[in-house]
Amino acid sequence: MVDTRPFLPVSSHAGSDPTGPSENRRKPMKLQLSILFVLLTVGFFAALLTSNNGSDNGFVKENEHGSLASPSSEKQLRPVSRGPAVGVSEKSNRLFAKDNENQLAYPWNNSMLSWQRTAFHFQPEKNWMNDPNGPLFYKGWYHFFYQYNPHAAVWGDIVWGHAVSKDLIHWLHLPLAMVADQWYDKNGVWTGSATILPDGKVVMLYTGSTTENVQVQNLAYPADHSDPLLINWVKYSGNPVLVPPPGILDKDFRDPTTAWLTSEGKWRITIGSKINKTGIALVYDTKDFINYELLDGILHAVPGTGMWECVDFFPVSKTEENGLDTSVNGPSVKHVVKASLDDDRHDYYSIGTYHEKNGTWIPDEPKIDVGIGLRYDYGIYYAAKTFYDQNKNRRVLWGWIGESDSEAADMQKGWASVQSIPRTILFDKKTGTHLLQWPVEEIESLRLKSYEFNQVKVQAGSVVPLDVGPATQLDIIAEFEIDNEALEKTTGSNVTFSCSSSGGTVERGALGPLGLLVLADDSLSEQTPVYFYIAKGSDGKLKTFFCNDQSRSSVASDVNKQIYGNLVPVLEGEKLSLRVLVDHSIVESFAQGGRTVITSRVYPTKAIYGAAKLFLFNNATEASVSASLRIWQMNSAFIRPYPNDKESQ
């Protein structure tokens, strides 16, 4: 039965008129322009799907030559914008085309496209996925909800997908958790967060896009709290519980956070928004998740950062090696504010001090404030969300990893996007400025045969093959020691270095680049370097950069070939260290214990299956390097539908 009293305490308004008080409700308005836009959008998607051979999953047949019989193999690609017109960030990949120019599609065949599907990263069986939503641990199961288009491999028609796991690695797909069936979420059941109440019950707040494209906040809860799978969800009859406040535009009010308790016993949430070009996080208090009070101030604001999406707010311990419940506060705690910037589609975070009394947060280092400083990940990674895992006393981070090939190729293969391997997240006590991200320990259960290489000498300008068999599914841990004499003798320079503008691994310096070539073929015509570059300034100080070069990752023309990376702090006495997870078309790389992380999507045409190889390389001009590695072949995770006879329980 539906639990009609899921909250503490129950509001006296729970059974009242669903339009409710004017400050918390807004009735739909029939604006002709909005209706016309919706009709045009529906017509566009219908035409798009019809052109895709009438298939609901985007697959097409091969012709007699083995290439895909699709318009994309014969015509120019025409990048299409998806999302901004209805009030969310850009969801289509348009980066590979300069100035949105048209490009010829690469003639992908089924063998190439089949290889791209990952083996141990979470993804639906087919179609489009984006933001992680409402992750939690409940009655022995990890729950993962996500933005999902059940109709196509492009963004649109967004509902909530749902999967469960016992270990965050092997997943079972469940029926859709919430669909767009009410006026307040008819144009999309968008991102939201879960809160577990003291009695163990769950509430979910999420953003809905109304029939008039107004962003409102809605409440949902499990139909049966005794069901560990949380299959059925009920939307509160009085939705929406929040509408944009005065001064906030209708399309600038989204993505409520997990709630935390104040010392007064109230629940507090924050919601992303903007005023002109200043990104802000609004703060609300509530006693029942139905009625809300908007605080006079804001949690934080940073001029010039634009719309803040998917805001996250959570505590980290300055002293302990474990995660903290979202409500924890005190002198041994720092707080993290993270925002996904609509303008550039990157996730930025900063560490600072939270003042509960007035609901504000101040960064420890204003120079690396939210949106202008540190990022979770310097590659493809967006809309990240954490949750406190009370099962293992850790905070776990999820992040959406989009595609960087063409939309046409995604439609051919029938799916788009994956989720990152869940990461634990801790305060870096050594730097005091960074967070440490690391793959959850459960990923190690997939390790198979291992290979060890100790003190491998890699001379300047050389490449060393590593015989580990097919290099498509790997877990790599490596350390590098640079020749001390070269470090001391190298002359400093005033020239500044940047991974993105450096020219990649072909540009040689005295002390780098050096690292690994993953997903490379024997001839190195395709390769993805994951590497360090050390720059010595005129003052003699060393700066270390961690980079990922996609410029030669594929011979295909319709894929993104950016160079990613950033500075990584390397403290006195530390060796250069990295961990790389290779899983077909995704490469997740962690430097210095997770201080700097880079995620890439890679689409080789030759370095696939048994032809994918792994190499050490050192393209420095002066320094030799000694490398020690341990490498595991990785098994595939079981990600499949939940048995049908269980779905009705």
Side-chain angles (χ1 to χ4, degrees):
M1 292 181 60
V2 174
D3 185 347
T4 59
R5 297 173 61 86
F7 316 118
L8 291 179
V10 175
S11 168
S12 60
H13 297 288
S16 62
D17 183 352
T19 58
S22 60
E23 67 269 23
N24 284 351
R25 310 282 189 264
R26 178 176 293 181
K27 294 182 180 180
M29 299 175 61
K30 295 184 178 180
L31 301 176
Q32 294 182 356
L33 291 177
S34 297
I35 294 173
L36 179 60
F37 175 79
V38 172
L39 292 174
L40 289 174
T41 302
V42 171
F44 173 78
F45 279 114
L48 187 63
L49 292 172
T50 301
S51 69
N52 193 27
N53 293 343
S55 170
D56 65 351
N57 64 10
F59 283 106
V60 297
K61 296 180 180 179
E62 284 190 339
N63 61 26
E64 61 183 357
H65 302 293
S67 62
L68 293 166
S70 163
S72 66
S73 61
E74 301 168 356
K75 299 181 179 180
Q76 288 185 329
L77 298 173
R78 294 175 175 84
V80 175
S81 176
R82 301 185 190 278
V86 293
V88 293
S89 63
E90 182 63 65
K91 296 300 188 292
S92 66
N93 174 44
R94 307 167 74 191
L95 298 177
F96 65 87
K98 295 180 179 179
D99 300 322
N100 293 329
E101 66 187 12
N102 295 333
Q103 290 196 356
L104 292 176
Y106 186 80
W108 299 99
N109 61 45
N110 274 347
S111 178
M112 297 173 187
L113 295 179
S114 295
W115 177 89
Q116 292 176 11
R117 189 168 180 89
T118 63
F120 52 84
H121 283 74
F122 177 82
Q123 59 185 124
E125 293 183 286
K126 61 181 181 179
N127 298 327
W128 169 274
M129 171 179 64
N130 54 287
D131 304 7
N133 293 158
L136 73 155
F137 181 80
Y138 188 77
K139 293 186 182 298
W141 290 92
Y142 290 101
H143 289 258
F144 182 70
F145 305 87
Y146 53 93
Q147 300 281 278
Y148 181 59
N149 180 355
H151 303 128
V154 297
W155 183 86
D157 299 338
I158 295 298
V159 299
W160 274 32
H162 185 195
V164 292
S165 172
K166 287 289 188 178
D167 60 4
L168 292 171
I169 303 299
H170 304 288
W171 291 91
L172 299 172
H173 295 296
L174 292 177
L176 298 177
M178 289 192 286
V179 298
D181 59 359
Q182 303 295 322
W183 70 264
Y184 51 77
D185 60 13
K186 195 66 175 177
N187 281 324
V189 184
W190 289 349
T191 292
S193 301
T195 300
I196 300 178
L197 304 180
D199 64 357
K201 293 180 179 178
V202 178
V203 295
M204 195 78 75
L205 291 173
Y206 72 93
T207 298
S209 181
T210 73
T211 52
E212 311 299 336
N213 289 320
V214 178
Q215 294 173 7
V216 298
Q217 312 314 316
N218 304 304
L219 173 64
Y221 49 89
D224 181 2
H225 285 281
S226 68
D227 175 17
L229 299 181
L230 300 177
I231 289 178
N232 297 310
W233 288 79
V234 176
K235 297 175 183 177
Y236 172 54
S237 62
N239 279 336
V241 295
L242 280 170
V243 299
I248 298 299
L249 300 181
D250 288 349
K251 296 180 181 179
D252 297 338
F253 183 63
R254 56 186 178 269
D255 310 334
T257 62
T258 294
W260 66 95
L261 274 171
T262 68
S263 59
E264 296 179 347
K266 297 179 181 179
W267 291 97
R268 182 167 287 177
I269 63 169
T270 184
I271 298 173
S273 187
K274 70 173 181 178
I275 298 177
N276 297 320
K277 290 295 290 180
T278 296
I280 65 173
L282 301 167
V283 182
Y284 289 87
D285 281 355
T286 180
K287 292 182 178 180
D288 54 15
F289 290 88
I290 295 171
N291 300 288
Y292 293 81
E293 174 191 359
L294 175 63
L295 271 62
D296 290 336
I298 54 178
L299 182 71
H300 194 53
V302 180
T305 55
M307 177 67 195
W308 283 13
E309 296 188 301
C310 303
V311 172
D312 204 358
F313 177 76
F314 57 90
V316 289
S317 174
K318 295 191 295 183
T319 58
E320 304 295 329
E321 297 294 328
N322 56 268
L324 299 175
D325 179 85
T326 309
S327 298
V328 171
N329 199 359
S332 63
V333 170
K334 286 288 184 181
H335 277 81
V336 176
V337 171
K338 166 261 169 183
S340 302
L341 297 197
D342 191 354
D343 288 354
D344 70 5
R345 295 170 64 186
H346 296 309
D347 279 14
Y348 293 83
Y349 76 87
S350 189
I351 299 169
T353 301
Y354 167 57
H355 299 279
E356 182 194 287
K357 186 175 182 179
N358 60 4
T360 62
W361 172 93
I362 299 174
D364 289 344
E365 299 283 348
K367 291 183 179 179
I368 50 173
D369 204 345
V370 180
I372 60 174
L374 301 174
R375 283 165 47 183
Y376 274 162
D377 193 299
Y378 290 87
I380 300 178
Y381 191 87
Y382 194 65
K385 183 177 293 294
T386 67
F387 76 101
Y388 175 65
D389 175 13
Q390 71 274 28
N391 182 44
K392 291 196 172 183
N393 297 318
R394 60 186 175 179
R395 182 157 290 273
V396 177
L397 173 70
W398 282 95
W400 165 41
I401 301 170
E403 302 292 329
S404 62
D405 60 350
S406 70
E407 189 174 89
D410 296 340
M411 293 177 67
Q412 290 174 38
K413 64 191 180 189
W415 59 270
S417 301
V418 300
Q419 297 292 331
S420 66
I421 293 298
R423 305 169 183 175
T424 57
I425 193 164
L426 292 170
F427 176 66
D428 183 2
K429 291 180 286 187
K430 293 182 179 179
T431 64
T433 55
H434 287 61
L435 295 173
L436 298 175
Q437 303 171 59
W438 202 247
V440 293
E441 61 184 1
E442 289 90 339
I443 192 66
E444 297 171 15
S445 67
L446 298 180
R447 288 173 172 174
L448 298 171
K449 185 178 180 180
S450 67
Y451 303 81
E452 288 195 43
F453 302 88
N454 295 311
Q455 299 296 313
V456 180
K457 286 289 185 181
V458 189
Q459 299 298 326
S462 65
V463 175
V464 177
L466 297 173
D467 185 10
V468 297
T472 288
Q473 295 174 211
L474 299 176
D475 186 356
I476 306 166
I477 293 179
E479 288 187 341
F480 300 89
E481 293 183 81
I482 298 179
D483 175 37
N484 283 328
E485 185 177 352
L487 287 173
E488 294 174 1
K489 287 185 176 181
T490 299
T491 302
S493 170
N494 287 322
V495 177
T496 58
F497 180 85
S498 166
C499 293
S500 60
S501 61
S502 66
T505 52
V506 296
E507 294 295 328
R508 305 179 67 185
L511 304 174
L514 56 94
L516 297 168
L517 304 179
V518 302
L519 296 176
D521 67 336
D522 279 327
S523 68
L524 300 183
S525 62
E526 291 185 330
Q527 56 176 280
T528 300
V530 179
Y531 61 97
F532 293 99
Y533 187 100
I534 300 175
K536 191 172 187 178
S538 56
D539 58 1
K541 294 182 179 179
L542 301 176
K543 288 185 178 180
T544 303
F545 295 83
F546 184 54
C547 315
N548 188 314
D549 180 1
Q550 295 184 116
S551 61
R552 289 171 291 166
S553 61
S554 176
V555 300
S557 57
D558 56 355
V559 301
N560 193 320
K561 297 181 182 180
Q562 288 182 283
I563 303 170
Y564 298 128
N566 197 57
L567 185 74
V568 57
V570 179
L571 306 184
E572 186 176 355
E574 292 183 344
K575 298 178 182 179
L576 298 179
S577 65
L578 63 81
R579 183 177 183 183
V580 182
L581 293 174
V582 180
D583 184 9
H584 294 258
S585 61
I586 180 171
V587 179
E588 292 189 77
S589 306
F590 304 80
Q592 302 308 115
R595 283 189 194 127
T596 299
V597 184
I598 305 171
T599 299
S600 296
R601 296 302 305 278
V602 182
Y603 308 91
T605 63
K606 303 174 184 178
I608 58 178
Y609 300 107
K613 307 295 182 183
L614 178 67
F615 298 84
L616 280 169
F617 84 96
N618 176 10
N619 207 27
T621 59
E622 297 181 20
S624 62
V625 64
S626 176
S628 296
L629 308 93
R630 191 165 186 189
I631 303 164
W632 290 266
Q633 291 282 346
M634 295 290 279
N635 205 348
S636 299
F638 292 102
I639 303 176
R640 62 189 187 278
Y642 200 91
N644 288 331
D645 60 340
K646 297 292 185 181
E647 289 184 3
S648 61
Q649 291 186 0

